[in-house]
C-alpha cells in the first residue's frame, strides 16, 4: 500500500467520469474540505486488512500530533505500478474507512474508481507532505521530500518571502505581544523557527546574562561547539538509533552530517580532549548553543515549539559519589531561578522507557538516587512511568504560570550510559582509570519557549529588569528633541535600556503608543525639564512624578534591576 499524506488548507475535487467498471455508483458533485489531512492511497497486490489497520493506526498517531481528527481517504491509483484488483482495493478502502471511524477520527472519503478533477493547497510546514509505504516485507516511513525540485522563478521565490500572519489570535497570545513590541517575527521560509528582532534578542540576552551570573558562581565553564557533526557522533551517542527521525541531516562531500539536536555528545568531545584526575572533578560545562529538532511543531504554536532553539543546557561530569551533591546544587539553582520569575512548580520522576540502553541494575541505581535527592528536600513528586530518556531517568519539573498552565521546563538527568558509550574516563585516587557519571540539566529549557511563556505569564507587562526597553524619552514638542537626546545618552551610558521617540507626532499619541507596548517608564521632557535638567516620569501604571533628576531616575531603575523586579 502506498500513501501520500498531505496536510492541506483545502482540497476540492469533482468526479468527472468512471475510470473502471468497478467504480462506485455515486452522483458526481464537487466536494471541498478545509483544514484536513488527505491520504492519497493506492492499494497493491498482497495488501490485506492487517496492513490497512496499521495504516489507520499510524495515521491516527500523526493526526493526534497535529491536533486534528479530520482525514480524507482519497483513492489514488497513480502511486503504484503493482495495483491490487479493483474489488480488493475497494473493500480495503471501505475497511480503512470503518477502522478510522471507530478510532474516533472524523473521516471523509472520495469515491473509488473515478477520474477526478483535483485542486489542493498544501500547508507550508515541513511535515505537511509525507509518503508512506506498507507491505508485509517491511513497513517504512520515508522522510518528507522537498516539494519543488524544479527551480523557482524569481517571482515565485519572491512570493514565498512572507511574514506569517497571526491576524486572528487573541491579544494575550505571545505572537501578538511579540509583534506589538517588535520582539520577533515568523517567516514562511523558515517554518517553526523564529526571527528575533533587536528587542527580542535583547530579551533573550537578559535571560542568558542572568543565568551566566549564576553559572560563574556555580563553577561552570561556558563552551560552544559546532551545529554540524558527522553522523558518527550520533551513532556513538545512540541518537541515530533513537532520535534520527527528528534530526536534520545533510551531506558534506560523501559524509552524512547531522545538525545537533542536543549538546551532550559535543560536550563529551571537549572532555575527551585531555586527561582528568579525580581531583579535578566535577567538570561543569554550560552552553547556550543553538539546537535543531525536526519535531512536529503543531504547525503553528509560535515560540512554544520551535525547530531551532537554544537551551540553558549544562553537563556535569562527576564521580558517581558526587552525583547526589551536584543534583542538590542544581535543584538549589532551579529554586532560585523559578523564584525570580515567581513561578510555582511540580516535580516528576520519569523512569526507564522500553526503548532504552543499559542494565536494570544501573537504571535502578540512577532512579533511586534521583528519588533520594527529591525526597531529602521534602518535595512531593509523581512518577512518570517509562517517560525517561533512552539513556537515563530524569527529574522533570513543570512550572505553573499565572494563567494556571503547566509547562515542563526543568529537567535533571543522571546518566550512566553515555559515559560508557563515549569511553569517558578519569584517573582515580588508586591511579586507575574509572568511568564518571554525567548529569544533564536545563532549568528554563528552550529559551525561545520560555520567552513565549513569560510574555503570556506577564501578559506582555514584563517586569522592569526583563523589559527590553525600560524607558522611552518623549519630547513635549520638536523644540525639546535636543534635550531629549541628551537625556537618552545619559540613560544608555548608565546602562539603562532606553530609546527616544523623536519622530514627528503628538505627545499624546507617543504616550499611547508606549503604553500599548507596556514600556515601564515614559520620560516626558519640555521647557521646564530642560531648564531644571530633570525629567517628568510617567509610569505605565499611570503614576507621574515631575522634576526628577536623571540620576535619581537611573538609581530607581538600577534598584529594580538588582532586585529583579
Ligand atoms: Zn544532555
Amino acid at each position: 500500500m502506498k500513501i501520500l499524506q498531505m496536510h492541506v488548507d483545502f482540497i476540492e475535487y469533482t468526479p468527472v467520469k468512471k475510470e473502471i467498471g468497478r467504480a462506485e455508483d455515486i452522483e458526481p458533485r464537487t466536494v471541498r474540505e478545509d483544514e484536513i489531512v488527505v491520504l492519497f492511497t493506492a492499494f497493491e497486490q498482497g495488501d490485506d486488512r492487517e496492513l490497512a489497520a496499521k495504516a489507520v493506526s499510524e495515521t491516527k498517531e500523526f493526526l493526534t500530533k497535529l491536533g486534528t481528527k479530520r482525514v480524507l481517504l482519497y483513492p489514488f491509483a497513480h502511486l503504484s505500478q503493482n495495483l491490487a484488483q479493483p474489488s480488493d482495493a475497494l473493500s480495503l478502502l471501505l475497511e480503512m474507512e470503518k477502522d478510522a471511524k471507530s478510532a474516533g477520527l472524523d473521516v471523509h472519503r472520495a469515491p473509488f474508481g473515478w477520474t477526478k478533477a483535483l485542486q489542493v493547497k498544501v500547508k507550508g510546514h515541513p511535515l505537511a507532505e509525507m509518503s508512506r509505504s506498507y507491505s508485509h516485507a517491511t513497513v517504512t516511513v520515508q522522510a518528507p521530500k522537498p516539494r519543488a525540485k524544479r527551480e523557482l522563478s524569481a517571482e515565485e521565490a519572491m512570493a514565498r518571502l512572507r511574514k506569517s500572519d497571526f491576524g486572528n489570535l487573541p491579544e494575550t497570545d505571545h505572537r501578538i505581544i511579540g509583534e506589538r513590541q517588535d520582539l520577533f517575527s515568523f517567516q514562511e521560509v523558515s517554518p517553526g523557527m523564529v526571527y528575533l528582532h533587536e528587542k527580542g534578542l535583547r530579551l533573550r540576552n537578559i535571560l542568558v546574562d542572568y543565568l551566566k551570573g549564576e553559572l560563574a558562581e556555580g563553577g561552570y565553564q561556558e563552551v560552544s561547539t559546532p551545529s554540524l557533526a558527522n553522523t558518527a557522533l550520533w551513532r556513538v551517542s545512540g541518537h541515530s538509533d533513537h532520535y534520527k527521525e527528528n534530526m536534520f541531516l545533510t551531506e558534506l562531500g560523501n559524509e552524512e552530517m547531522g545538525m545537533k539536536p542536543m549538546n551532550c555528545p559535543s560536550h563529551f568531545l571537549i572532555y575527551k580532549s585531555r586527561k582528568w584526575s579525580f581531583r579535578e572533578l566535577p567538570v561543569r560545562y554550560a552552553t547556550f548553543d543553538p539546537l535543531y529538532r525536526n519535531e512536529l511543531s503543531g504547525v503553528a504554536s509560535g515560540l512554544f515549539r520551535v525547530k531551532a532553539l537554544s537551551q540553558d543546557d549544562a553537563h556535569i561530569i562527576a564521580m558517581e559519589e558526587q552525583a547526589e551533591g551536584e543534583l542538590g546544587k542544581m535543584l538549589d539553582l532551579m529554586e532560585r531561578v523559578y523564584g525570580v520569575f515567581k513561578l510555582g512548580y511540580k516535580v516528576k520522576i520519569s523512569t526507564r522507557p522500553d526503548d532504552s540502553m543499559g542494565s536494570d541494575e544501573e537504571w535502578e541505581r540512577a532512579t533511586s538516587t534521583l528519588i533520594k535527592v527529591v525526597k531529602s528536600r521534602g518535595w512531593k513528586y509523581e512518577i512518570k512511568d517509562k517517560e525517561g530518556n533512552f539513556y537515563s531517568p530524569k527529574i522533570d519539573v513543570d512550572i505553573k504560570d499565572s494563567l494556571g498552565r503547566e509547562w515542563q521546563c526543568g529537567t535533571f538527568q543522571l546518566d550512566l550510559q553515555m559515559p560508557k558509550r563515549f569511553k569517558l574516563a578519569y584517573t582515580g585516587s588508586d591511579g586507575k582509570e574509572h568511568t564518571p557519571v554525567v548529569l544533564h540539566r536545563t532549568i528554563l529549557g528552550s529559551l525561545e519557549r520560555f520567552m513565549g511563556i513569560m510574555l503570556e505569564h506577564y501578559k506582555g507587562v514584563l517586569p522592569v529588569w526583563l523589559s527590553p526597553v525600560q524607558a522611552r524619552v518623549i519630547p513635549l514638542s520638536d523644540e525639546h528633541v535636543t534635550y531629549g537626546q541628551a537625556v537618552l545618552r545619559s540613560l544608555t551610558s548608565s546602562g539603562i535600556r532606553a530609546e527616544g521617540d523623536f519622530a514627528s507626532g503628538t505627545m499624546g499619541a507617543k504616550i499611547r503608543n508606549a503604553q500599548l507596548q507596556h514600556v515601564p517608564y515614559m520620560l516626558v521632557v519640555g521647557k521646564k525639564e530642560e531648564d531644571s535638567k530633570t525629567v517628568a516620569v510617567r509610569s505605565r501604571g499611570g503614576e507621574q512624578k515631575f522634576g526628577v533628576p536623571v540620576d535619581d531616575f537611573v538609581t530607581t531603575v538600577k534598584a529594580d534591576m538588582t532586585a529583579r523586579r
Side-chain angles (χ1 to χ4, degrees), residues 203-467:
L203 175 55
R204 194 177 72 179
N205 286 343
I206 294 164
L207 293 173
V208 168
D209 289 346
Y210 160 52
L211 292 166
K212 281 188 183 177
E214 290 281 359
L215 294 180
E217 282 175 34
Y220 286 84
Q221 37 179 305
E222 191 190 346
V223 297
S224 178
T225 64
S227 291
L228 211 56
N230 192 292
T231 314
L233 183 63
W234 314 114
R235 277 282 305 140
V236 175
S237 67
H239 285 92
S240 290
D241 298 330
H242 300 269
Y243 200 74
K244 194 167 187 177
E245 69 276 18
N246 292 322
M247 284 183 64
F248 288 102
L249 299 172
T250 182
E251 269 159 32
L252 194 63
N254 287 328
E255 302 282 325
E256 189 185 46
M257 310 285 286
M259 304 284 279
K260 67 175 171 186
M262 290 174 194
N263 292 300
C264 355
S266 336
H267 286 179
F268 302 154
L269 296 184
I270 297 183
Y271 181 84
K272 282 171 75 68
S273 67
R274 55 162 279 205
K275 284 201 174 309
W276 296 89
S277 143
F278 70 97
R279 287 196 187 84
E280 297 172 285
L281 265 42
V283 181
R284 306 179 185 94
Y285 295 119
T287 197
F288 299 91
D289 279 352
L291 300 174
Y292 300 88
R293 298 178 179 178
N294 194 10
E295 290 178 350
L296 280 177
S297 58
V299 189
S301 37
L303 290 175
F304 292 157
R305 202 119 197 232
V306 284
K307 293 174 195 297
L309 60 140
S310 46
Q311 290 186 324
D312 58 327
D313 202 6
H315 295 97
I316 287 105
I317 302 175
M319 294 185 272
E320 190 164 349
E321 56 269 34
Q322 294 172 320
E324 237 180 273
E326 286 300 309
L327 276 164
K329 282 185 210 163
M330 291 174 181
L331 296 175
D332 288 343
L333 175 60
M334 179 201 86
E335 286 196 278
R336 273 205 303 284
V337 173
Y338 291 168
V340 163
F341 297 97
K342 301 190 173 50
L343 295 164
Y345 51 88
K346 225 158 93 181
V347 176
K348 298 170 177 176
I349 294 176
S350 297
T351 62
R352 181 175 194 175
D354 292 331
D355 182 15
S356 54
M357 46 171 86
S359 72
D360 287 347
E361 192 273 324
E362 288 165 331
W363 278 83
E364 178 49 44
R365 229 161 70 214
T367 311
S368 61
T369 304
L370 295 184
I371 291 176
K372 190 172 161 199
V373 171
V374 167
K375 272 191 173 161
S376 74
R377 305 176 80 88
W379 287 352
K380 285 203 191 96
Y381 63 93
E382 192 182 297
I383 294 281
K384 274 175 29 188
D385 198 29
K386 298 184 178 185
E387 299 259 314
N389 284 323
F390 66 85
Y391 51 85
S392 78
K394 51 187 183 147
I395 301 172
D396 286 328
V397 184
D398 292 358
I399 59 166
K400 205 167 182 181
D401 69 14
S402 65
L403 306 169
R405 297 175 304 185
E406 291 177 1
W407 306 89
Q408 201 228 300
C409 287
T411 171
F412 305 85
Q413 307 160 6
L414 172 51
D415 173 8
L416 308 181
Q417 304 308 323
M418 292 289 175
K420 283 195 294 184
R421 286 180 81 104
F422 278 88
K423 299 193 172 22
L424 303 185
Y426 66 90
T427 311
S429 53
D430 55 3
K432 291 186 186 138
E433 294 249 299
H434 296 270
T435 304
V437 299
V438 169
L439 295 152
H440 309 243
R441 75 114 180 95
T442 134
I443 293 173
L444 301 186
S446 149
L447 296 177
E448 288 72 14
R449 191 174 70 126
F450 191 76
M451 278 168 56
I453 299 171
M454 284 304 100
L455 288 174
E456 296 190 8
H457 173 63
Y458 290 115
K459 303 179 175 67
V461 189
L462 294 174
V464 173
W465 80 278
L466 268 182
S467 290

Side-chain angles (χ1 to χ4, degrees), residues 474-494:
I474 298 173
L476 205 55
S477 70
D478 287 353
E479 296 154 56
H480 308 106
V481 167
T482 313
Y483 176 62
Q485 283 166 335
V487 168
L488 177 60
R489 273 194 302 278
S490 60
L491 291 175
T492 50
S493 65
S494 311

